[in-house]
């Protein structure tokens, strides 16, 4: 039997969604909740897809739930920690995990392959488009678990870029695609009702 070298993925859905005013993971895009649409993009590329969200989340019946290991909700790094910690403790587990937010439904179909192709040792592999890094859509070595856990002990340590800067990291550039109103970053985040309307227009265009 050939070993599956694809990493597991963790969809981060633990944020408060203040600009949207409701849980973004459950927003309907087309006919599908947003987090499930992201999961559909990731399943062919990964060994498993988990949802990082609180206990009792409505989508937990559709995706295996991975809860934060810290009670203080210290932002997206808490979801990264939950993922690397789980798999670092698993004998014979993967060397890396992929994370991505629940609100970017147009992830490239070659996202994982290209990030994996760029891996050098324990570098964090970041996705980017047009020179803009997207540090939450990244491939993380599970060996970072202990350092990230200690880092989050400090309440001033919440910025993803600050933690990434502590470690070797590489960026993989992805191309934009043509949307109904011009080029679209494939890591486009849905943060507002206007963004959701834009995403609906992209879906209706039928090119992704």
């Amino acid at each position: 039997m050939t070993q599956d070298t694809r990493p597991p993925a963790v969809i981060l859905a633990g944020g408060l969604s203040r600009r949207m005013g409701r849980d973004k993971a459950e927003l309907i895009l087309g006919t599908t909740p947003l987090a499930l649409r992201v999961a559909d993009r990731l399943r062919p590329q990964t060994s498993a897809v988990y949802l990082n969200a609180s206990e009792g989340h409505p989508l937990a019946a559709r995706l295996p739930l991975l809860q934060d290991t810290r009670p203080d909700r210290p932002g997206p790094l808490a979801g990264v920690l939950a993922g690397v910690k789980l798999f670092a403790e698993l004998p014979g587990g993967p060397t890396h995990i992929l994370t991505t937010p629940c609100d970017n439904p147009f992830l490239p179909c070659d996202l994982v392959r290209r990030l994996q192709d760029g891996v050098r040792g324990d570098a964090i592999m970041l996705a980017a488009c047009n020179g803009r890094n997207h540090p939450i859509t990244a491939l993380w070595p599970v060996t970072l678990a202990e350092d990230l856990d200690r880092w989050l002990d400090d309440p001033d340590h919440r910025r993803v870029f600050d933690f990434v800067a502590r470690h070797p990291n590489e960026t993989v550039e992805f191309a934009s695609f043509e949307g109904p109103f011009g080029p679209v970053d494939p890591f486009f985040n849905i943060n507002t009702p206007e963004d959701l309307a834009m995403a609906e227009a992209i879906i209706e265009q039928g090119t992704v």
Side-chain angles (χ1 to χ4, degrees):
M1 181 181 294
T2 303
Q3 183 179 5
D4 191 346
T5 59
R6 298 173 301 167
V10 179
I11 299 172
L12 306 182
L16 299 177
S17 306
R18 291 186 178 92
R19 281 185 285 175
M20 185 61 74
R22 51 190 168 135
D23 179 19
K24 286 193 287 186
E26 296 178 81
L27 286 178
I28 301 299
L29 178 57
T31 59
T32 307
L34 196 49
L36 297 185
R37 186 174 284 275
V38 174
D40 287 343
R41 301 289 280 197
L42 292 175
R43 282 194 183 97
Q45 306 186 54
T46 60
S47 60
V49 180
Y50 295 80
L51 182 70
N52 169 236
S54 57
E55 184 178 5
H57 192 281
L59 294 180
R62 309 280 296 276
L63 288 170
L65 193 64
L66 182 61
Q67 296 181 59
D68 287 352
T69 59
R70 305 183 69 93
D72 52 343
R73 304 191 74 175
L77 282 174
V80 177
L81 175 62
V84 293
K85 198 168 186 179
L86 172 67
F87 290 101
E89 295 170 353
L90 191 66
T95 59
H96 294 71
I97 68 161
L98 179 86
T99 63
T100 197
C102 68
D103 60 356
N104 53 356
F106 306 123
L107 294 171
C109 294
D110 61 353
L111 171 67
V112 174
R113 178 184 62 77
R114 292 195 55 213
L115 291 177
Q116 282 189 305
D117 285 350
V119 167
R120 300 291 181 272
D122 284 340
I124 301 167
M125 302 301 301
L126 309 175
C129 180
N130 294 324
R132 180 189 174 195
N133 286 357
H134 295 276
I136 301 303
T137 300
L139 202 60
W140 304 84
V142 300
T143 52
L144 295 178
E146 189 174 328
D147 184 62
L148 180 53
D149 207 2
R150 286 195 304 266
W151 173 261
L152 290 175
D153 285 339
D154 187 332
D156 291 331
H157 289 169
R158 297 296 179 260
R159 293 188 70 248
V160 178
F161 278 116
D162 289 346
F163 180 74
V164 168
R166 287 168 53 82
H167 296 275
N169 61 87
E170 302 285 345
T171 299
V172 178
E173 186 77 19
F174 291 83
S176 57
F177 64 88
E178 197 61 32
F181 308 108
V184 179
D185 185 328
F187 307 105
F188 164 71
N189 292 100
I190 297 175
N191 289 315
T192 66
E194 292 76 19
D195 292 339
L196 183 61
M198 172 71 79
E200 290 282 7
I202 293 169
I203 293 291
E204 289 171 9
Q205 178 184 252
T207 59
V208 293

